[in-house]
Amino acid sequence: MHCNQRDSQTSMRLAKELPACVVVLIFISAIWFESDAYRYVAVGTLLPTAVYYFYRDFPSRTKVLIGYMGLLCIGWSLYVGARFAYSYLSHAELGIGSSEGIYLFPLLYPLSGYALFLAIRRPLIAVCGFILISFLVAVFSIDIPALLEGHRAETLLHNNPIHAAIAQGIIILCAVPFANYLLRGNVMSRGLRTGFFAVSLATVLICFINIYTLQSKGVWLALAIALPFQLILMAGLQGLGRRFAVLAGVIFLMAAISVTMAWDGIMAVADDTAHASAALLSDIFTGRGVIQSMDNAIHDNSAPASFRERLMLWASAILIWMKDPLFGHGVTWMHEWQTRAYPAAEYNLIHNGYLEIAVRYGAAGLIFYALLFSWAARQVWKASREQVIDPAAFQAYMAVLVFFCITVFSNSNIRLAIGESYMWFAAAFGFYCYYKRQSRNTVKVTTWI
């Protein structure tokens, strides 16, 4: 009878948690299918979460607090909103740029972390769902003709191959720590553990293949840095045990075989860009200056057209930023963009996330986001050390953060669904860990809210 009661209680808890896990998976679904679903699910969940907090938890003396970083997020959003309103009302003739509302999102980061804190009690359910969906998407995304014939893969689930390659890279960096997690503990039945382990490794292998066929040089570079960083991090945190050594060896073997077999194709795609990049860096280090070196590369007809086009965008953005380096041009930056130095590059996507922030909000904006994600990473690290979360979560978090920061250098990911939802979730997860640490009394907060 007691067994039946326990089984019934377990089933009830699972029934309550499954909807929350589904919401989380929808929120991060831009990894699998590029859409704004994360915005709609956020509106549907954060409004009731806010009502719950202010009517139930806010009066309590034992409530979790958002701390100084939460206050900074609110302050930043108020600053962005006030500046937006001033520009719109006082300088309407200057126009408004695109994707300006995303800089208001930090207002929702602390509340999103609170929603995770309330609803997610068994993260393993959502993680298993993530792995299974990622496996199916990776299999669906295989473009056999592109692999055999050497041309760029078609993308059905993302807007272009670069976005798809970024998504596949994130999946790899999440699947590897999960496989390691399965090796470390008896978290489920042996059969399930073996099945999920096999699915995780298959997902990694298929994603390697997909990334190769998607021919995104920036993603190749980012993964070449982030994956070894992740394995080193895992070894440093848990030591070189036999099981980890086997897993690391398998991952290394997969990567080595993939690179060896694909080397000719990699060089055909990346060789010219690598040489042009090396020449640009050589010019900069010999003292010719960043802008002058970029101008020389832009006018070098031997450099790839796509490389020169990106340099035009970056040089134009840097020159605009330098007109107001501390606070940027706000939402009216597009007025400056109309008279940019290199109009031959006709996009208003700068293809560099850091410059996207800098032209709008200057060094102040870059510092805000650097502080936010440094703080979030620290909260995840401390939660891992204090056994509030599993170390695998920290291993995935840091590797994906490094990967994302590198890809942002050559793409405007922060203005795209995959980047917006990633930044939102990464910041919210930092707050989630902060609240979990408060609930365990492992951190002292001195703010009043």
Side-chain angles (χ1 to χ4, degrees):
M1 182 176 178
H2 291 297
C3 271
N4 289 336
Q5 287 180 340
R6 281 198 298 270
D7 291 342
S8 176
Q9 290 173 354
T10 300
S11 298
M12 289 178 63
R13 284 197 296 268
L14 285 173
K16 290 179 180 178
E17 291 183 31
L18 277 174
C21 291
V22 170
V23 167
V24 170
L25 293 174
I26 295 173
F27 187 86
I28 63 173
S29 62
I31 291 177
W32 308 306
F33 177 75
E34 199 162 5
S35 74
D36 289 335
Y38 69 97
R39 295 188 183 185
Y40 305 125
V41 80
V43 171
T45 56
L46 293 185
L47 285 177
T49 300
V51 171
Y52 180 90
Y53 173 76
F54 284 107
Y55 278 90
R56 183 185 181 280
D57 278 4
F58 186 74
S60 172
R61 293 183 177 181
T62 59
K63 64 179 179 292
V64 295
L65 304 174
I66 64 175
Y68 289 113
M69 185 50 65
L71 294 174
L72 181 60
C73 286
I74 293 173
W76 169 261
S77 300
L78 292 175
Y79 163 71
V80 170
R83 193 169 176 185
F84 191 121
Y86 173 78
S87 297
Y88 181 75
L89 295 173
S90 301
H91 302 287
E93 73 281 2
L94 299 181
I96 301 296
S98 58
S99 301
E100 304 303 324
I102 64 173
Y103 299 97
L104 295 167
F105 286 174
L107 178 67
L108 303 176
Y109 292 169
L111 184 61
S112 301
Y114 182 69
L116 291 174
F117 173 74
L118 289 179
I120 303 300
R121 301 296 178 183
R122 298 187 181 187
L124 184 59
I125 299 172
V127 173
C128 289
F130 174 88
I131 294 296
L132 290 175
I133 296 171
S134 296
F135 170 72
L136 294 175
V137 168
V139 171
F140 178 79
S141 302
I142 296 175
D143 189 333
I144 299 298
L147 180 63
L148 297 178
E149 298 167 13
H151 61 77
R152 198 169 202 177
E154 299 289 335
T155 57
L156 299 176
L157 302 178
H158 295 85
N159 292 340
N160 66 47
I162 296 174
H163 304 179
I166 290 169
Q168 298 282 309
I170 292 174
I171 289 171
I172 287 175
L173 296 171
C174 292
V176 171
F178 181 66
N180 186 46
Y181 168 76
L182 294 173
L183 288 177
R184 285 192 287 107
N186 298 320
V187 293
M188 56 183 73
S189 69
R190 185 172 181 178
L192 273 177
R193 196 164 67 248
T194 302
F196 271 109
F197 183 78
V199 167
S200 298
L201 292 186
T203 302
V204 170
L205 178 60
I206 296 169
C207 286
F208 273 134
I209 295 170
N210 289 337
I211 289 173
Y212 166 67
T213 59
L214 290 164
Q215 297 184 2
S216 172
K217 297 179 286 292
V219 173
W220 291 348
L221 175 62
L223 192 60
I225 295 172
L227 185 56
F229 166 78
Q230 184 176 67
L231 294 175
I232 293 170
L233 183 65
M234 291 163 67
L237 289 175
Q238 67 188 57
L240 293 171
R242 180 175 60 85
R243 292 181 178 180
F244 170 73
V246 171
L247 175 63
V250 170
I251 299 298
F252 177 79
L253 187 62
M254 283 184 183
I257 292 173
S258 299
V259 170
T260 300
M261 294 182 66
W263 184 252
D264 290 342
I266 292 172
M267 293 307 296
V269 173
D271 192 40
D272 291 345
T273 301
H275 281 100
S277 300
L280 172 63
L281 292 174
S282 176
D283 267 7
I284 293 173
F285 290 137
T286 53
R288 295 186 182 179
V290 173
I291 296 298
Q292 182 59 52
S293 299
M294 293 174 77
D295 185 71
N296 291 343
I298 288 168
H299 290 95
D300 180 5
N301 292 327
S302 66
S306 60
F307 177 78
R308 294 163 57 204
E309 193 171 60
R310 267 179 168 71
L311 289 183
M312 291 180 196
L313 295 169
W314 298 350
S316 295
I318 291 171
L319 290 169
I320 291 172
W321 174 26
M322 288 300 100
K323 294 180 181 179
D324 193 341
L326 187 56
F327 296 108
H329 298 272
V331 296
T332 62
W333 69 278
M334 279 292 290
H335 177 73
E336 298 287 340
W337 193 251
Q338 302 310 313
T339 55
R340 61 192 178 277
Y342 298 95
E346 299 177 352
Y347 308 108
N348 64 11
L349 276 174
I350 300 173
H351 285 76
N352 182 302
Y354 302 106
L355 291 175
E356 292 278 1
I357 296 170
V359 296
R360 290 169 172 83
Y361 299 106
L366 293 172
I367 290 170
F368 165 73
Y369 283 103
L371 287 174
L372 171 61
F373 287 102
S374 297
W375 175 87
R378 183 174 175 81
Q379 295 307 314
V380 179
W381 172 61
K382 287 194 170 184
S384 173
R385 285 189 60 188
E386 295 160 3
Q387 299 182 340
V388 175
I389 62 172
D390 192 89
F394 174 65
Q395 295 158 9
Y397 187 92
M398 286 305 302
V400 174
L401 181 60
V402 169
F403 175 82
F404 185 77
C405 287
I406 297 170
T407 62
V408 163
F409 185 79
S410 60
N411 289 286
S412 295
N413 300 337
I414 64 171
R415 288 179 59 179
L416 308 172
I418 190 169
E420 291 175 20
S421 59
Y422 165 72
M423 291 175 67
W424 192 335
F425 184 79
F429 190 73
F431 279 102
Y432 164 79
C433 290
Y434 188 52
Y435 301 148
K436 292 281 283 185
R437 294 181 65 222
Q438 289 183 50
S439 70
R440 302 281 186 91
N441 296 316
T442 60
V443 61
K444 183 178 181 181
V445 186
T446 57
T447 58
W448 62 274
I449 186 173

XYZ file of all heavy atoms in Angstrom, residues 15 43 85 93 278 353 442:
42
model
N 3.582 14.674 -13.356
C 2.522 15.325 -14.128
C 2.574 16.837 -13.961
O 2.285 17.588 -14.901
C 1.156 14.796 -13.701
N 5.886 35.344 -22.620
C 4.736 36.165 -22.238
C 3.705 35.329 -21.484
O 3.148 35.760 -20.461
C 4.091 36.803 -23.485
C 2.761 37.473 -23.125
C 5.039 37.824 -24.109
N 12.607 56.218 -25.582
C 11.484 57.158 -25.601
C 11.950 58.569 -25.955
O 11.302 59.272 -26.751
C 10.801 57.158 -24.233
N 12.854 62.307 -36.577
C 13.340 62.416 -37.953
C 14.585 61.558 -38.198
O 14.926 61.272 -39.357
C 13.661 63.881 -38.278
C 14.916 64.442 -37.641
C 14.733 64.841 -36.178
O 13.610 64.645 -35.648
O 15.693 65.339 -35.570
N 45.273 36.199 -41.697
C 46.664 36.262 -41.238
C 47.344 37.541 -41.737
O 48.087 38.204 -40.996
C 47.434 35.033 -41.710
N 28.386 40.773 -33.076
C 27.499 41.082 -31.967
C 28.028 42.165 -31.047
O 27.253 42.958 -30.489
N 23.443 29.227 1.115
C 24.880 29.234 0.800
C 25.349 30.584 0.291
O 26.521 30.743 -0.036
C 25.213 28.158 -0.251
O 24.472 28.422 -1.445
C 24.869 26.766 0.280
